[in-house]
Amino acid sequence: MHNMSIAELGLGLRSKTFSSRELTEHFLRRIATLNPRYNAVITVTEESALASAERSDEQLRNGAGGDLCGIPVLHKDIFCTRNVRTSCGSKMLDNFIPPYDATVVENFADAGAVMLGKTNMDEFAMGSSNETSFYGPVKNPWDITRVPGGSSGGSAAAVAARLGAAATATDTGGSIRQPAALCGVSGLKPTYGRVSRWGMIAFASSLDQAGPIAKSAEDCAILLQCMASYDPRDSTSVERAVPDYRATLNDSVAGVKIGIPKEYFSDGLDPSVEAAVMDSLAALRELGAELVDISLPNSHLSVPAYYVIAPAEASANLSRFDGVRYGHRCDNPVDLEDMYRRSRAEGFGEEVQRRILIGSYCLSAGYYDAYYRKAQQVRQLIRQDFVNAFEQVDIIMGPTCPSPAFKFGAKGDDPVAMYLEDIYTIATNLAGLPGMSVPCGLVDGNPAGIQLIGNYFDEASLLNVAHRLQQATDWHKLQPGGLD
Ligand code: GLN
């Protein structure tokens, strides 16, 4: 059952081949036996999962329920879940039990999906390897000596190991696409504003966006359909009709113009990853797509601009964790100042503290113009590159990340090396565009991903091209060894 697509699971549920309760029990058993190896899931909500499966079975018996009714999913632990701990991978929130559900979580619940639990992640979504989680790193199911990517490494590893039918994730600079690439699964970051951020713990509010991680583009289409909604509670949520993403999945890609940015095939790219990406592009050309060489001349500025803007916003967002209202509070503070100081020093890990320091520095009087304002100007240049490119092409494609999964500790001492993991994904967040990663091959047994970048609100084209590619190739069907 765990290898079936969401559509197949839906058919199985509707034809009474199995019930949602049986399906849920099946995934709970897999989590119990396999998760100790991967550490992908940090909270299992067994009791409420079984109860909601029974409610969905009831709906299905009455002929009601949509595509996700009765389907067991996992939520990244950045989404607030009512009465269920939401830690954001941090000691700071290890004791935080939200009194409400995030809109994304609510959308899934309304659709009758079953929440199995919460997935591990880099602390406050800062990282590219899951090594910053307070709960310990997630292991990549393809090779447990390697990282799963981050920050949504728990969600990507859980889907790769088939611990749930799919998982939610978030992407501020690559955190859906990079772990999806490293774990051999499909992940989509929608256009900024497409999915509500309400109840999603904020990292960098102008960049954060939630999206699905799943086994295929078709599954991502079904999941995005549920996640995308206008939400008045999020002032950046865009009021715009949500198209039927499945309706256009099978459209022909003949004549689709795919832009290949030369800057995404630079020196740092592993030649084997490049070869895998080129094979997938050739497969799309076979299907009639046209490959067009393009340039995104300001690409080299995206990592430096991001590492000013994201920490600046993070330093402001994380100021709310002060030990007063919720989260970790130090023992026996002598005064208010001592409480702030020690609560934050004890509650936040090293990477989070580094970002808060960088961000506060960039925003401080005297440096604001030199760093923050400059980074915002660079952001406009990066956005304009894409606007120009989309006058020539329909979508843009290239590698998701420069290399396959690396070993634990390989970049731990070198924050800049870690930051370069997102060299191909970050520009998309700065511009607010949708991006997707799908598997495109194996490099020495480890998955590589190909990235698709679309125009604003054109998730449908990404899903269409990715789906056609997945019909022509089998990379998305490969699974880590040692799993049945
Ligand atoms: N790896 C990037 C960072 O550490 C992106 C993280 C993310 O997208 N949440 O900030």
Side-chain angles (χ1 to χ4, degrees):
M1 284 189 277
H2 50 270
N3 282 324
M4 293 168 108
S5 70
I6 293 179
E8 287 166 345
L9 290 172
L11 284 176
L13 288 169
R14 255 161 265 280
S15 64
K16 314 262 186 308
T17 312
F18 44 81
S19 66
S20 174
R21 184 174 171 113
E22 284 162 343
L23 187 58
T24 301
E25 282 171 343
H26 176 72
F27 278 118
L28 288 170
R29 267 196 304 275
R30 283 184 75 78
I31 293 174
T33 50
L34 296 169
N35 191 55
R37 213 190 296 170
Y38 307 124
N39 195 27
V41 181
I42 49 176
T43 302
V44 183
T45 49
E46 178 160 353
E47 218 174 288
S48 63
L50 293 172
S52 79
E54 275 169 17
R55 281 195 302 277
S56 298
D57 278 331
E58 175 77 38
Q59 266 190 292
L60 290 162
R61 267 196 298 278
N62 297 331
D67 290 332
L68 286 173
C69 188
I71 306 287
V73 299
L74 289 152
H75 290 307
K76 184 177 180 179
D77 208 23
I78 197 168
F79 293 102
C80 286
T81 40
R82 190 155 57 93
N83 299 335
V84 176
R85 181 188 66 179
T86 300
S87 72
C88 219
S90 181
K91 178 178 178 186
M92 182 58 90
L93 290 178
D94 184 46
N95 62 1
F96 176 51
I97 314 273
Y100 66 96
D101 280 330
T103 301
V104 163
V105 170
E106 213 173 72
N107 286 1
F108 275 97
D110 290 348
V114 173
M115 177 176 87
L116 295 167
K118 311 284 298 282
T119 58
N120 200 351
M121 57 181 283
D122 276 302
E123 184 177 8
F124 284 102
M126 297 172 188
S128 297
S129 66
N130 245 276
E131 290 167 293
T132 73
S133 170
F134 173 61
Y135 303 95
V138 176
K139 314 272 173 60
N140 191 319
W142 291 81
D143 175 352
I144 56 169
T145 67
R146 290 176 194 270
V147 306
S151 64
S152 312
S155 293
V159 174
R162 311 295 193 242
L163 304 183
T168 55
T170 61
D171 190 313
T172 303
S175 281
I176 290 179
R177 292 159 288 161
Q178 186 253 10
L182 270 41
C183 290
V185 293
S186 303
L188 170 66
K189 179 203 97 72
T191 308
Y192 184 76
R194 178 75 290 182
V195 173
S196 169
R197 291 183 298 107
W198 195 78
M200 189 176 116
I201 294 171
F203 164 10
S205 309
S206 75
L207 302 160
D208 298 342
Q209 188 59 198
I213 292 185
K215 296 193 283 280
S216 66
E218 185 191 31
D219 282 2
C220 284
I222 296 171
L223 296 158
L224 181 63
Q225 201 74 48
C226 168
M227 294 176 83
S229 62
Y230 168 61
D231 183 3
R233 293 174 298 193
D234 168 6
S235 60
T236 58
S237 161
V238 175
E239 191 165 8
R240 190 174 166 126
V242 181
D244 181 349
Y245 295 114
R246 270 172 106 185
T248 47
L249 278 180
N250 287 304
D251 284 2
S252 164
V253 294
V256 169
K257 289 201 179 73
I258 301 176
I260 317 294
K262 66 167 190 275
E263 292 79 5
Y264 284 32
F265 293 85
S266 49
D267 286 349
L269 178 60
D270 181 318
S272 309
V273 173
E274 176 170 352
V277 168
M278 294 320 281
D279 285 349
S280 284
L281 290 173
L284 287 168
R285 195 172 38 210
E286 288 283 296
L287 296 171
E290 197 185 317
L291 306 186
V292 183
D293 288 327
I294 61 162
S295 172
L296 298 169
N298 293 296
S299 297
H300 64 292
L301 298 175
S302 48
V303 170
Y306 173 90
Y307 278 99
V308 171
I309 295 169
E313 293 185 14
S315 71
N317 276 324
L318 271 57
S319 64
R320 72 192 64 169
F321 303 110
D322 54 8
V324 177
R325 284 156 297 181
Y326 43 69
H328 176 74
R329 179 183 294 176
C330 67
D331 287 334
N332 310 317
V334 293
D335 57 22
L336 189 63
E337 172 88 18
D338 181 48
M339 186 182 78
Y340 287 157
R341 219 186 264 277
R342 282 198 291 124
S343 299
R344 287 169 69 81
E346 291 167 8
F348 291 138
E350 198 179 277
E351 182 61 24
V352 174
Q353 295 192 24
R354 181 182 294 123
R355 306 265 181 130
I356 292 173
L357 289 174
I358 296 172
S360 310
Y361 179 82
C362 295
L363 290 177
S364 57
Y367 296 108
Y368 183 92
D369 285 338
Y371 295 106
Y372 188 71
R373 190 186 305 277
K374 182 61 85 191
Q376 291 292 10
Q377 287 164 344
V378 169
R379 186 174 188 176
Q380 284 312 311
L381 297 177
I382 290 164
R383 198 184 89 85
Q384 195 56 47
D385 279 357
F386 283 108
V387 171
N388 297 343
F390 283 120
E391 280 170 12
Q392 283 173 273
V393 299
D394 302 304
I395 72 165
I396 295 171
M397 290 182 73
T400 307
C401 15
S403 53
F406 48 93
K407 297 263 187 185
F408 284 103
K411 302 190 185 192
D413 299 335
D414 185 353
V416 177
M418 189 74 85
Y419 297 168
L420 289 174
E421 262 302 290
D422 296 315
I423 190 154
Y424 305 130
T425 49
I426 272 179
T428 313
N429 301 73
L430 290 168
L433 292 164
M436 183 166 190
S437 178
V438 293
C440 69
L442 292 182
V443 173
D444 299 331
N446 297 299
I450 187 167
Q451 183 178 202
L452 304 87
I453 300 172
N455 212 336
Y456 293 103
F457 293 97
D458 194 14
E459 286 81 5
S461 288
L462 301 186
L463 291 162
N464 167 222
V465 172
H467 178 66
R468 296 302 299 230
L469 179 65
Q470 293 187 336
Q471 285 182 317
T473 60
D474 277 338
W475 297 117
H476 65 295
K477 294 196 183 135
L478 292 183
Q479 278 184 66
L483 286 170
D484 50 354

